[in-house]
Amino acid sequence: MMRLFSLVYLVCAIPEAAAFSMKIIDSHLHVWASKSEAESNFPYDQLPPESLQNNATPEALIEQMDKAGVDGALIVQPINHKYDHSYVANAIKKYPHKFKGMLLHDPELSPEMAVKRLEELVLSGYVGVRFNPYLWNEGELMSADGGGGLAVYKRCAELGCPVGVMCFKGLELHYDDILALIEKSPETQLVLDHLGFCALDEKGDEAFKQLLALSKYPNVSVKVSALFRNTGSVDSFPYDRIKSQRFEPLLEAFGPGRLMVGSDFPYVLETEGGYDGAINTVKSWLNKDDAEAVLFGTAERLFGKWGALE
């Protein structure tokens, strides 16, 4: 029945979105080594899910992108390789017209070493930094004075590298820390992953008010990504409640120029609608003018142009 529903949705809903054709940049996804690649050249720090272990190579991603009409992607450094950025760097080198990278900040590094590492990886094709607050020691803040996080955050303003924050357990847990980052370096572009992790439940509704409040800061943007992570128990593909209760208020508050589509590949492969459904669902919510920003314009404003090098 779910397969039939997906087919009906793709036939009935997607054509409205496909009435126009334009560039699409997937602003949030991951790649990691297959089992054989990990055994030979790119060892894991953490094992990926067994069901996806061999489905997250750059080639597997490009196959999905081609089917969905996606032109380029921002690869966020996966936790599976943690601070070893060689696999993603290799993918960027192999497919420079397709991929850019977002590195994973290591909170254990001194401020000097953290900034040096940032500068090295920028030269390898990385155009952004991910802050995962759960990698900091308990009680430590991303925004702490004298810490590596704040040093990198400030340096990112000078380098033009946005910083993405993953509030996996809820935006409300990190809201004050995020405000401190914004206040201490207002020139740094800050991006919140996956609709800020504001699920469709009472706690998520309260957190969503905080997310909307961040719209007053012009340097804050939001990824319309991993819709499946925000449904709670009340929504599912094709995410009608996500559209009305999360996306539309965000579009009004932030405007299309600070929103960008993302899939959360390869995890999205195990959800109803899959990769194509995730991208084209968001596309179906947009008129042509808004689509130019959400589908590629915002990502290229923040991370640079994708495509053939001149």
Side-chain angles (χ1 to χ4, degrees), residues 47-64:
L47 283 174
E50 185 176 358
S51 60
L52 293 172
Q53 185 173 13
N54 294 316
N55 299 324
T57 63
E59 291 71 27
L61 168 60
I62 289 173
E63 181 179 354
Q64 293 292 327

Side-chain angles (χ1 to χ4, degrees), residues 14-259:
I14 296 301
E16 179 182 353
F20 53 85
S21 177
M22 64 176 58
K23 190 174 190 178
I24 301 177
I25 301 300
D26 186 340
S27 72
H28 194 106
L29 48 76
H30 311 279
V31 298
W32 56 67
S34 64
K35 182 178 180 181
S36 61
E37 289 174 324
E39 291 172 348
S40 59
N41 295 308
F42 302 101
Y44 300 128
D45 183 85
Q46 298 179 25
L47 283 174
E50 185 176 358
S51 60
L52 293 172
Q53 185 173 13
N54 294 316
N55 299 324
T57 63
E59 291 71 27
L61 168 60
I62 289 173
E63 181 179 354
Q64 293 292 327
M65 290 169 61
D66 287 346
K67 290 178 181 177
V70 173
D71 301 280
L74 180 69
I75 302 174
V76 179
Q77 173 70 10
I79 197 66
N80 312 91
H81 292 295
K82 209 168 185 180
Y83 306 125
D84 179 355
H85 290 77
S86 58
Y87 188 77
V88 173
N90 187 65
I92 296 169
K93 183 177 180 180
K94 189 174 182 181
Y95 303 104
H97 302 166
K98 287 282 188 183
F99 299 142
K100 299 178 185 288
M102 175 171 271
L103 67 94
L104 181 63
H105 171 68
D106 180 357
E108 297 297 321
L109 295 177
S110 68
E112 295 77 18
M113 287 303 299
V115 169
K116 181 180 179 182
R117 185 62 172 148
L118 163 67
E119 293 169 346
E120 290 171 348
L121 288 169
V122 165
L123 295 176
S124 300
Y126 286 84
V127 294
V129 179
R130 178 176 233 195
F131 278 12
N132 179 343
Y134 311 103
L135 295 175
W136 269 259
N137 293 325
E138 187 174 356
E140 293 183 354
L141 297 176
M142 299 179 287
S143 62
D145 291 327
L150 183 59
V152 164
Y153 191 79
K154 289 182 174 181
R155 181 66 174 127
C156 281
E158 299 168 343
L159 295 174
C161 284
V163 175
V165 182
M166 183 189 72
C167 302
F168 190 76
K169 297 180 181 179
L171 174 64
E172 70 280 1
L173 299 176
H174 311 288
Y175 185 69
D176 291 341
D177 200 9
I178 289 168
L179 285 178
L181 285 173
I182 293 170
E183 291 167 359
K184 291 178 180 180
S185 184
E187 300 304 315
T188 304
Q189 293 291 326
L190 185 144
V191 180
L192 290 163
D193 295 345
H194 305 337
L195 302 174
F197 286 93
C198 299
L200 294 173
D201 54 33
E202 185 175 351
K203 186 175 78 169
D205 289 345
E206 289 302 309
F208 190 61
K209 295 176 184 177
Q210 294 179 314
L211 179 58
L212 293 177
L214 291 175
S215 66
K216 71 180 181 180
Y217 299 101
N219 60 321
V220 177
S221 300
V222 180
K223 290 182 180 180
V224 185
S225 55
L227 307 182
F228 62 92
R229 296 190 185 276
N230 291 276
T231 58
S233 61
V234 299
D235 199 14
S236 60
F237 181 83
Y239 310 114
D240 291 336
R241 292 195 181 189
I242 290 288
K243 177 187 178 185
S244 63
Q245 297 178 35
R246 294 293 182 261
F247 175 73
E248 289 178 348
L250 283 173
L251 186 62
E252 181 177 353
F254 284 84
R258 290 195 284 153
L259 302 179

Side-chain angles (χ1 to χ4, degrees), residues 279-302:
I279 296 296
N280 282 298
T281 292
V282 176
K283 185 179 178 183
S284 74
W285 296 344
L286 299 162
N287 62 44
K288 186 175 181 181
D289 290 340
D290 291 348
E292 290 181 353
V294 178
L295 296 184
F296 72 93
T298 303
E300 292 199 326
R301 175 178 65 82
L302 293 174

